[in-house]
Amino acid sequence: MDENTLVARLCQQAIHINEQALADLQYQPLPANAVHDCRVAVKRLRAQWQLLRPWLSRDDHRTFDHGIRNAARLLAGARDNHVMAATLQKLASKADKPQRHSLNRVATTLFSDPDPQPETLHHQEAITAFAQDQQYWQSLALSISDHELLVSGLARTYKQCRNRTIKAQGGSDPEPWHDLRKWVKYLLYQQQALADQHIHTPCHDADLERLGKTLGKLHDLHMLREHVLTHSHAIEKKKDLPHTLDAIHGRGKRLLKKCQSHSQHLFQTPTKKWIARVATH
């Protein structure tokens, strides 16, 4: 592989991301900030594998992608419960008095440990996953021109965002929005990786970050709703369940409106026109 090509430099970036994650994983017990940094590293690595997807076989991509994805799952621990508890507490802080009491009671019932420690049971497996991913990048041999990488790799990610925006618009089904969230993250991390190589795109990182965070909050609400419904038998006072579901629904409607507006604005340009505006400085 020519070391001066964009793909070669991106491979070196990925190797460095793995090195940093492996360094973070040397701590025992694993601090929460190290867990967070490693999970972000997983997202960045998955984004770079997606960038190269047009030149990888389905089986190879599945091997690479699933291998590093497992590292995030191994490190997830009680994070989901922590996020749901925080989401419910935020809803309670903005509710009127009767609803606030209901939400607080539900929070006490369903989330007795408000600040769980990150899971470290699978620490060694996570180390193995990052080490294996590093080896994949070190042994990767692809011949891709810089132009091809942009018009086939980056353009594909933008197109996935655009198609998912069109699919999600006009509906309240959470799945298309969750799917869009994943691809918005891929595009953001791909753009950031390319920006380090002096490639600049029409989508501003700040706009993608804002949409990603809003979609993330929407996802957290949907997770919370499913969790509340699953454990509704543990909620003693009858009014507490409808109060909680009403608060989740109201917040969800407001977030959904923002997601619709932001995604329409970001992905309104046809893919060919968008990629033609990518600039090299």
Side-chain angles (χ1 to χ4, degrees):
M1 189 187 300
D2 185 347
E3 293 183 1
N4 292 320
T5 62
L6 195 53
V7 66
R9 297 197 298 272
L10 290 174
C11 284
Q12 288 303 312
Q13 275 188 10
I15 290 167
H16 177 72
I17 291 170
N18 277 299
E19 286 175 349
Q20 184 59 56
L22 288 168
D24 290 338
L25 287 168
Q26 297 310 306
Y27 297 99
Q28 186 73 6
L30 202 60
N33 65 318
V35 173
H36 172 76
D37 290 346
C38 287
R39 286 172 63 85
V40 171
V42 168
K43 293 173 185 176
R44 291 187 180 279
L45 292 165
R46 293 187 73 193
Q48 297 208 178
W49 283 124
Q50 281 291 346
L51 187 61
L52 302 183
R53 177 65 185 88
W55 298 275
L56 300 172
S57 71
R58 179 175 294 184
D59 287 345
D60 281 349
H61 181 264
R62 184 183 292 114
T63 298
F64 302 153
D65 181 68
H66 287 196
I68 195 61
R69 182 186 67 181
N70 286 339
R73 292 182 173 180
L74 291 165
L75 293 167
R79 177 187 173 277
D80 288 347
N81 277 350
H82 176 71
V83 169
M84 286 188 289
T87 301
L88 189 54
Q89 289 168 1
K90 187 169 184 178
L91 288 173
S93 71
K94 296 178 180 294
D96 58 25
K97 193 171 183 179
Q99 193 178 51
R100 182 166 65 250
H101 289 325
S102 289
L103 295 176
N104 285 332
R105 280 192 295 267
V106 171
T108 301
T109 301
L110 299 187
F111 306 105
S112 57
D113 182 4
D115 190 23
Q117 294 301 305
E119 180 63 71
T120 58
L121 198 60
H122 303 293
H123 194 156
Q124 186 56 50
E125 291 97 319
I127 291 174
T128 301
F130 278 108
Q132 181 64 73
D133 189 72
Q134 186 177 39
Q135 290 178 17
Y136 288 146
W137 286 103
Q138 287 170 336
S139 61
L140 196 66
L142 292 175
S143 179
I144 308 169
S145 73
D146 293 359
H147 177 73
E148 283 180 307
L149 187 70
L150 297 176
V151 299
S152 296
L154 184 65
R156 172 180 173 271
T157 304
Y158 174 84
K159 185 177 181 180
Q160 296 282 359
C161 291
R162 179 170 160 79
N163 288 347
R164 280 160 175 74
T165 294
I166 293 169
K167 182 178 180 180
Q169 292 294 333
S172 57
D173 179 7
E175 286 310 313
W177 292 106
H178 299 343
D179 199 22
L180 174 61
R181 171 174 162 259
K182 177 178 69 177
W183 284 96
V184 167
K185 287 282 188 181
Y186 287 157
L187 184 60
L188 172 63
Y189 290 136
Q190 288 173 12
Q191 286 194 174
Q192 289 176 342
L194 290 166
D196 289 343
Q197 306 300 328
H198 310 292
I199 306 293
H200 299 282
T201 67
C203 287
H204 295 297
D205 287 358
D207 293 332
L208 287 173
E209 285 177 351
R210 183 166 63 250
L211 175 58
K213 285 180 180 178
T214 308
L215 288 166
K217 291 176 182 177
L218 187 64
H219 178 250
D220 294 342
L221 276 178
H222 289 145
M223 282 178 45
L224 175 61
R225 183 178 185 277
E226 292 304 310
H227 187 79
V228 168
L229 288 173
T230 300
H231 297 87
S232 59
H233 59 278
I235 300 173
E236 295 181 1
K237 291 201 173 186
K238 289 186 177 180
K239 66 180 181 180
D240 288 354
L241 179 60
H243 278 177
T244 303
L245 294 177
D246 284 348
I248 293 171
H249 178 70
R251 175 66 173 153
K253 280 182 67 176
R254 293 189 291 275
L255 286 173
L256 184 61
K257 189 173 181 180
K258 289 183 179 180
C259 290
Q260 290 171 335
S261 174
H262 291 167
S263 58
Q264 275 185 324
H265 173 72
L266 267 176
F267 306 120
Q268 63 182 331
T269 305
T271 304
K272 286 185 178 180
K273 288 186 178 180
W274 185 87
I275 199 64
R277 293 168 56 196
V278 172
T280 303
H281 296 294

